[in-house]
Amino acid sequence: MQSFRTELENPIVEQEIIELAEKIRKYRKGEMPEEKFKSLRLARGVYGQRQAGVQMVRIKLPFGKVTFQQILKIADIADEYGSGNLHLTTRQDIQLHYVSLDRTPELWSKLAEDDITLREACGNTVRNVTASATAGIDPNEPFDVSPYAHRTFTYFLRNPICAEMGRKIKISFSSSELDTAFSYIHDFGFIPKIRIENGKEIRGFKVMLGGGLGAQPILAQTVHEFLAEEEIIPYMEATLRVFDRHGERNNRNKARFKYLVQKLGLEEVLALIEIEKKAIKNKTVVVDRHSQISTNLPTKEVSEIEPQDPLAFELWKSTNTFQQKQEGFYGVYVNVQTGDIPTEKARKLIAGVRDHIADDIRITQDQNLLFKYVRKESLVHIYEALVALGFGKPGYNSTADITTCPGTDTCNLGISNSTEMARVLENYIHEFHQDFIQEKEFKIKISGCMNSCGQHGLAHLGFHGSSVKAGTAVVPAAQVMLGGGTVGNGEGRVAERVIKVPTKRVLQVLDLLLSDFKNNQAAGQNFHAYYDQQGKDYFYKLLKPLADLSNLTADEYLDWGHEETFATAIGVGECAGVLIDLVATLLYEAEEKLDLADLAIGKGQYADAIYHAYSAFVWTAKALLLDKGLSVSTQAAVLAEFDQHFIAEDLFTLPTSFSERVLQINKYEPSKEFAETYLLQSKAFCLEAAERREELKAVVQ
């Protein structure tokens, strides 16, 4: 591993990077268990790739905001450490591929110089906080949600309550009731609202809870029609404490928050949240409303020029631009096919537009870019620069603008090549269905497997990778999903599985559906209404001939973009992190938690210290239960089982039950006195547990 040096101003980040390098060294020497190391690197944005020996690095960009300098820095990093490509994601991140594990600390160090983090971009924690790309300039918004998204990001970054949960948590802020950040598919979804009280405007949010896509999509439920702005972060904190304690930890397929709501019922979950409110760090969190306002606006005088192709420009302008709420300025969308920007194009893009836009670019949830504060005189300049780079296609957010995950290009879980399918379908629409370039009520989304990274479950027409048996052969297939999408104000629809067809027939699926919709829809009828009118069985019958496997051609045995015979070579996915059930690893983590608690008390961070001490209690108890061959799936169950198998059998002596001792955590305010007392109790328990374990080992021997 190469040595590296960082000139970071933030000592916490500097220490984290040094620690990552040290952990990699220990892992390489066999001094750190595989599962522990995997969890650690995921929490630092380093994700296993389909190709052996290289990693995907996910760069966490809160609400998709990125500056000129940051894009240029990421491009330099992609050239030096990766494949020379920037991949924009549906969660407004940027991903780099083909990175050597040993070089990730050095890579992180260089990114941190420009205030870019990898921390908690993957793993069982709060993922990137997303928001409508138009936040701050949206003509429909009650107020700018960017400051709230940013404060949520900073509040939960490195926060012990969400450092090692059973699964990930996803949060979104929509700019208006149009719900362009898809609140209904998130663990927490927020839609801005304003109330008038005594003649004064009061800001707040409609709160959606417990949504998620994946293989089993579940729509979020409304838990607050209006929650005051200063209460939303405390509400999330209390909820995360509930999820951490009661969420599933053994079966990761059932470990998302949506399943906890399903298991306990919304009423019980809400009651548990109320109990936790007493112990949270802050009862209110005030957000600086002006913290994320764009200030670096274009200042250079620009003369308006004539477009080389006036008709093409007018079409692009009609689909890819809009007038901001700030008079005299436009927002401009950039279509980035499959979300991929080669580094050479990234540099030329910035050079071509930086005099014409604000230094505040947003990555959109559909893998495109949004430029802000563009003057009318600059529109043609920007258009010509985009055309020269291949980013000047019209049809943003239309049928011709397809969202996709990386699929089998790099993902361990990918079944099919979703990116090549997306390119083929987009190009086909531009050539043969040009009237749909302006249709924004029929969206196509593609995932390489059923896990919905391409958001196929919320598409009007969705595809996910699959396979079918044809005799002794396995044929690449696409599961066709219909009828999903955003309704508005927190309401959404999950697409229904209709039929599975060989993947090379998706163009025929597209032809049939678009032609049928175009020819039979009522005047002004959108696809949701048309789908409901016709019914699922109508579309099944329409597409059924395409599922016939008796007439397969040689080409249909091959996946898009491939010349070799198709095989469902699926690896082990890491999106949800990993489960840590090794006894030694749990005890090691408990020791780390006690050290972190000591440090937190020294800094006056009493709530953090209490939560670290709580984690040490739980990890130690779980390790002892595992020593007895007992595997439990939630932290709450750990407490109950420890009482039954250790306290009831007098293997430990406590003045109360173990559950009562540990659950003091939600009975007291996070004061210095309680933090010191609780930590002392946790240390005593962990010490006694180590002694008991040694005694048991001696008996066994």
Side-chain angles (χ1 to χ4, degrees):
M1 181 188 302
Q2 296 183 20
S3 63
F4 65 94
R5 179 173 175 270
T6 178
E7 300 293 338
L8 305 178
E9 295 181 4
N10 188 335
I12 296 174
V13 177
E14 184 171 9
Q15 183 60 36
E16 287 179 339
I17 295 169
I18 293 169
E19 287 177 357
L20 176 60
E22 181 59 27
K23 302 294 188 188
I24 292 173
R25 290 190 188 96
K26 285 187 175 182
Y27 169 67
R28 293 296 194 200
K29 291 179 181 179
E31 298 173 1
M32 177 172 286
E34 169 76 25
E35 295 301 288
K36 171 62 179 173
F37 178 71
K38 190 181 291 186
S39 175
L40 183 141
R41 67 169 167 77
L42 283 168
R44 286 145 183 85
V46 182
Y47 182 96
Q49 201 170 295
R50 192 181 189 91
Q51 294 76 13
V54 291
Q55 313 291 317
M56 178 270 283
V57 170
R58 182 176 292 149
I59 297 168
K60 196 173 186 181
L61 299 167
F63 56 96
K65 181 179 180 178
V66 63
T67 65
F68 300 149
Q69 177 58 32
Q70 287 174 329
I71 288 182
L72 294 174
K73 172 57 74 71
I74 294 169
D76 289 344
I77 295 294
D79 281 341
E80 185 175 356
Y81 299 92
S83 62
N85 185 69
L86 313 184
H87 180 70
L88 313 180
T89 79
T90 56
R91 296 210 59 74
Q92 299 177 290
D93 299 305
I94 292 178
Q95 292 179 173
L96 309 180
H97 293 91
Y98 297 94
V99 177
S100 165
L101 173 63
D102 293 334
R103 302 188 74 192
T104 53
E106 182 182 336
L107 176 156
W108 187 3
S109 174
K110 290 185 177 180
L111 287 173
E113 293 169 359
D114 287 289
D115 197 26
I116 306 169
T117 189
L118 310 180
R119 182 76 193 197
E120 295 158 25
C122 307
N124 300 323
T125 185
V126 171
R127 297 292 185 86
N128 196 28
V129 179
T130 64
S132 298
T134 54
I137 64 172
D138 188 344
N140 299 305
E141 69 183 18
F143 54 85
D144 184 4
V145 299
S146 302
Y148 302 89
H150 188 264
R151 187 68 185 96
T152 299
F153 160 76
T154 59
Y155 191 88
F156 291 112
L157 189 70
R158 302 181 182 88
N159 193 315
I161 67 165
C162 52
E164 296 170 280
M165 297 180 294
R167 282 289 295 271
K168 56 194 171 186
I169 286 287
K170 295 182 177 180
I171 302 170
S172 79
F173 287 82
S174 284
S175 60
S176 74
E177 290 186 359
L178 293 177
D179 203 6
T180 53
F182 315 130
S183 68
Y184 58 94
I185 61 158
H186 284 77
D187 299 286
F188 298 98
F190 296 96
I191 300 171
K193 302 286 182 180
I194 287 180
R195 279 184 177 175
I196 305 298
E197 295 182 7
N198 299 321
K200 183 180 178 181
E201 282 192 354
I202 307 296
R203 288 187 180 186
F205 291 85
K206 180 175 184 176
V207 183
M208 310 297 298
L209 190 70
L213 286 176
Q216 287 185 277
I218 295 177
L219 297 176
Q221 300 182 63
T222 302
V223 292
H224 288 283
E225 288 290 347
F226 185 92
L227 186 64
E229 59 176 327
E230 69 275 9
E231 295 180 39
I232 61 168
I233 289 176
Y235 187 80
M236 283 186 272
E237 182 179 350
T239 307
L240 290 174
R241 290 167 69 99
V242 171
F243 178 52
D244 195 34
R245 186 167 307 128
H246 297 276
E248 171 68 35
R249 287 178 178 268
N250 285 357
N251 180 1
R252 72 175 190 172
N253 293 323
K254 291 292 183 181
R256 290 296 301 273
F257 184 69
K258 62 185 180 181
Y259 294 118
L260 180 62
V261 175
Q262 192 179 63
K263 176 184 175 182
L264 299 181
L266 182 61
E267 196 171 311
E268 175 64 17
V269 169
L270 296 180
L272 291 170
I273 292 169
E274 288 302 313
I275 292 172
E276 291 296 327
K277 285 183 177 179
K278 183 172 187 177
I280 59 177
K281 187 185 302 185
N282 298 291
K283 301 302 185 287
T284 60
V285 176
V286 177
V287 174
D288 179 358
R289 297 177 174 184
H290 306 291
S291 65
Q292 300 301 311
I293 292 177
S294 299
T295 55
N296 298 319
L297 307 188
T299 57
K300 186 176 179 180
E301 289 291 329
V302 175
S303 299
E304 194 166 2
I305 61 174
E306 291 298 317
Q308 294 184 34
D309 186 337
L311 289 178
F313 168 73
E314 288 301 326
L315 175 59
W316 171 84
K317 182 182 174 184
S318 70
T319 61
N320 289 49
T321 73
F322 65 94
Q323 293 190 40
Q324 296 182 187
K325 71 178 185 180
Q326 293 83 3
E327 188 175 352
F329 289 102
Y330 288 79
V332 174
Y333 290 110
V334 182
N335 273 19
V336 181
Q337 193 172 58
T338 67
D340 291 307
I341 308 178
T343 53
E344 182 181 357
K345 287 189 175 184
R347 294 186 185 92
K348 289 179 179 178
L349 179 64
I350 297 302
V353 303
R354 68 185 310 156
D355 290 333
H356 302 276
I357 69 175
D359 190 7
D360 179 359
I361 297 171
R362 302 289 171 98
I363 298 168
T364 71
Q365 281 88 344
D366 40 25
Q367 302 171 291
N368 294 304
L369 297 174
L370 172 63
F371 297 156
K372 302 168 66 177
Y373 289 94
V374 177
R375 294 187 174 88
K376 182 175 180 294
E377 298 79 33
S378 288
L379 289 174
V380 177
H381 290 273
I382 290 173
Y383 173 68
E384 297 294 352
L386 295 177
V387 169
L389 294 171
F391 297 140
K393 278 187 176 180
Y396 170 76
N397 197 35
S398 72
T399 310
D401 181 13
I402 297 175
T403 304
T404 178
C405 71
T408 53
D409 286 353
T410 55
C411 179
N412 273 320
L413 291 177
I415 298 173
S416 67
N417 189 338
S418 49
T419 53
E420 183 61 21
M421 185 194 298
R423 283 188 282 268
V424 169
L425 286 170
E426 275 194 12
N427 295 338
Y428 190 81
I429 293 167
H430 276 279
E431 187 170 357
F432 297 106
H433 292 282
Q434 294 181 359
D435 44 340
F436 278 87
I437 293 173
Q438 294 178 286
E439 174 58 70
K440 294 185 182 294
E441 294 293 329
F442 191 104
K443 282 287 296 176
I444 302 172
K445 298 176 183 285
I446 306 172
S447 300
C449 71
M450 65 180 68
N451 285 308
S452 286
C453 293
Q455 301 176 337
H456 64 266
L458 58 86
H460 299 86
L461 168 58
F463 297 104
H464 78 68
S466 188
S467 62
V468 291
K469 288 292 294 279
T472 59
V474 179
V475 177
Q479 174 68 58
V480 181
M481 315 274 290
L482 291 173
T486 304
V487 177
N489 197 28
E491 185 180 349
R493 297 165 52 118
V494 173
E496 293 186 301
R497 289 180 173 84
V498 175
I499 200 166
K500 192 185 291 185
V501 303
T503 190
K504 286 294 180 67
R505 297 180 183 176
V506 293
L507 289 176
Q508 295 165 265
V509 170
L510 184 72
D511 271 333
L512 281 172
L513 289 173
L514 295 187
S515 297
D516 177 78
F517 178 46
K518 179 180 176 181
N519 295 331
N520 297 319
Q521 69 179 130
Q525 187 178 38
N526 66 25
F527 186 74
H528 282 161
Y530 182 66
Y531 181 78
D532 293 343
Q533 170 190 302
Q534 301 292 57
K536 176 180 174 179
D537 190 55
Y538 171 86
F539 292 97
Y540 171 78
K541 291 175 180 176
L542 178 69
L543 300 175
K544 186 176 179 182
L546 299 180
D548 182 4
L549 302 181
S550 65
N551 56 358
L552 288 168
T553 64
D555 182 57
E556 289 175 332
Y557 287 89
L558 307 177
D559 197 8
W560 288 106
H562 289 263
E563 297 180 359
E564 71 277 7
T565 303
F566 175 77
T568 53
I570 305 172
V572 178
E574 295 182 347
C575 281
V578 293
L579 297 169
I580 310 299
D581 279 336
L582 301 173
V583 173
T585 300
L586 286 165
L587 293 174
Y588 171 75
E589 287 186 341
E591 291 176 9
E592 285 191 332
K593 297 299 182 186
L594 293 175
D595 290 340
L596 289 170
D598 275 325
L599 289 171
I601 284 180
K603 296 177 181 177
Q605 298 168 346
Y606 304 123
D608 289 358
I610 292 164
Y611 213 84
H612 287 310
Y614 162 79
S615 298
F617 267 126
V618 175
W619 295 156
T620 301
K622 186 170 185 178
L624 295 184
L625 288 167
L626 285 169
D627 255 354
K628 274 197 166 192
L630 300 168
S631 177
V632 288
S633 61
T634 69
Q635 290 181 355
V638 167
L639 307 185
E641 291 293 312
F642 195 85
D643 274 328
Q644 180 180 342
H645 294 281
F646 285 88
I647 304 301
E649 296 178 17
D650 293 325
L651 296 176
F652 277 77
T653 303
L654 294 175
T656 64
S657 70
F658 183 65
S659 295
E660 288 175 319
R661 169 145 289 205
V662 175
L663 290 180
Q664 292 177 91
I665 188 174
N666 60 19
K667 304 295 190 299
Y668 295 92
E669 298 282 345
S671 65
K672 178 182 179 182
E673 292 73 22
F674 176 60
E676 291 176 338
T677 301
Y678 191 67
L679 176 56
L680 189 63
Q681 293 172 348
S682 183
K683 286 180 176 179
F685 171 72
C686 293
L687 182 62
E688 185 176 358
E691 293 172 353
R692 291 286 180 272
R693 192 160 183 262
E694 289 304 315
E695 290 172 3
L696 289 171
K697 279 184 180 179
V699 170
V700 171
Q701 292 171 354

